[in-house]
Amino acid sequence: MQKPIRIAPSILSADFAKLGEEVRAVDAAGADYIHIDVMDGHFVPNITIGPDVVASLRPHSKKIFDVHLMIQPVDPYIEAFAEAGADIITAHIEAGAHTHRTLQAIRALDVKAGVSLNPATPAGSIDYLYEELDLVLVMSVNPGFGGQSFIESQLRKIESIRKRIDSLGLDIDLEVDGGVNMNTVQRVIDAGADVLVAGSATFKGGPGAYAENIKNLRG
Ligand code: DX5
Ligand code: ZN
């Protein structure tokens, strides 16, 4: 069942020189999740933040830390992100041969487990993982950078995963990441998403605009 819409600002679009302040600002502005993009310069062509930064941000917000790992391999780093204070850890299905084991390892640490699909990856690739999942993250851009354009074909994938979650009757968030803004948000919600990642659409205009930006995305 599609749950209430939750907004997850991606701090990739925040001012990295004052990340703690930025996290407090989006928290106060009404963010539901804080989406943290972890990139390794190997799985994706960009390098961002590691577990020490996540741990440093933890005291700045009690909101859900939604950690999106765009790294390969994943397994050696799960414990460090769990200890840093991640509430949800999401790994890419394309990042390893043993995603089922990765999801079990995440849940074994009492952290919610998510799986993410790149735009080219079919919905069916996660068909035998649903029982291990708390969240599915559909990438609506090729991962690596903020501010890219929404890839329309991903709406079909969101619809298909929504049907699957509902037919199984499982309590799983359906999150969409990339190019979510005022032009695309309604179609993303109509397709069945209930957690919306928004980087540039949240952080545009500076701290004074965050509350209004988040409110507008919520519809
Ligand atoms: C892309 C990241 C996204 C990104 C979204 O690789 O996973 O979370 O920050 O940025 P926008 O919302 O600007 O497309
Ligand atoms: Zn992300």
Side-chain angles (χ1 to χ4, degrees):
M1 200 184 61
Q2 195 168 0
K3 290 182 274 183
I5 300 303
R6 280 141 300 151
I7 307 296
S10 160
I11 59 168
L12 190 59
S13 294
D15 182 345
F16 270 41
K18 39 183 175 185
L19 267 188
E21 219 173 288
E22 291 276 65
V23 166
R24 288 202 304 277
V26 285
D27 177 324
D32 298 291
Y33 293 3
I34 307 295
H35 185 83
I36 302 174
D37 287 307
V38 175
M39 305 186 186
D40 65 354
H42 165 70
F43 181 68
V44 290
N46 195 3
I47 301 177
T48 55
I49 65 187
D52 289 347
V53 176
V54 176
S56 308
L57 292 174
R58 190 64 275 190
H60 293 270
S61 173
K62 292 193 164 61
K63 298 277 168 81
I64 290 167
F65 271 19
D66 170 28
V67 175
H68 177 194
L69 298 183
M70 287 160 275
I71 63 173
Q72 187 177 31
V74 175
D75 294 5
Y77 301 99
I78 293 171
E79 201 170 342
F81 283 103
E83 274 169 17
D87 297 293
I88 304 169
I89 295 178
T90 297
H92 269 260
I93 180 93
E94 307 85 2
H98 302 289
T99 306
H100 190 280
R101 177 186 291 151
T102 298
L103 298 171
Q104 287 182 319
I106 295 169
R107 278 186 160 179
L109 295 165
D110 264 335
V111 175
K112 293 197 167 173
V115 72
S116 183
L117 297 83
N118 280 335
T121 303
S125 65
I126 60 166
D127 219 25
Y128 300 98
L129 296 177
Y130 283 98
E131 284 78 1
E132 311 302 327
L133 287 172
D134 301 292
L135 178 145
V136 176
L137 173 53
V138 174
M139 289 306 304
S140 41
V141 298
N142 287 296
F145 305 95
Q148 303 181 78
S149 300
F150 186 83
I151 300 171
E152 297 286 332
S153 58
Q154 301 309 300
L155 290 168
R156 297 202 306 274
K157 193 190 294 179
I158 299 163
E159 283 169 11
S160 144
I161 294 173
R162 164 54 55 207
K163 281 195 192 119
R164 205 77 185 99
I165 291 172
D166 290 351
S167 74
L168 291 166
L170 294 168
D171 180 15
I172 297 175
D173 284 352
L174 179 47
E175 183 175 45
V176 175
D177 185 1
V180 176
N181 56 39
M182 291 313 288
N183 298 323
T184 55
V185 70
Q186 197 52 52
R187 279 175 294 147
V188 171
I189 293 171
D190 290 347
D194 52 17
V195 183
L196 311 177
V197 177
S200 37
T202 300
F203 286 92
K204 67 167 194 245
Y210 297 165
E212 183 74 8
N213 292 344
I214 290 173
K215 183 171 149 280
N216 290 340
L217 286 169
R218 227 183 271 285

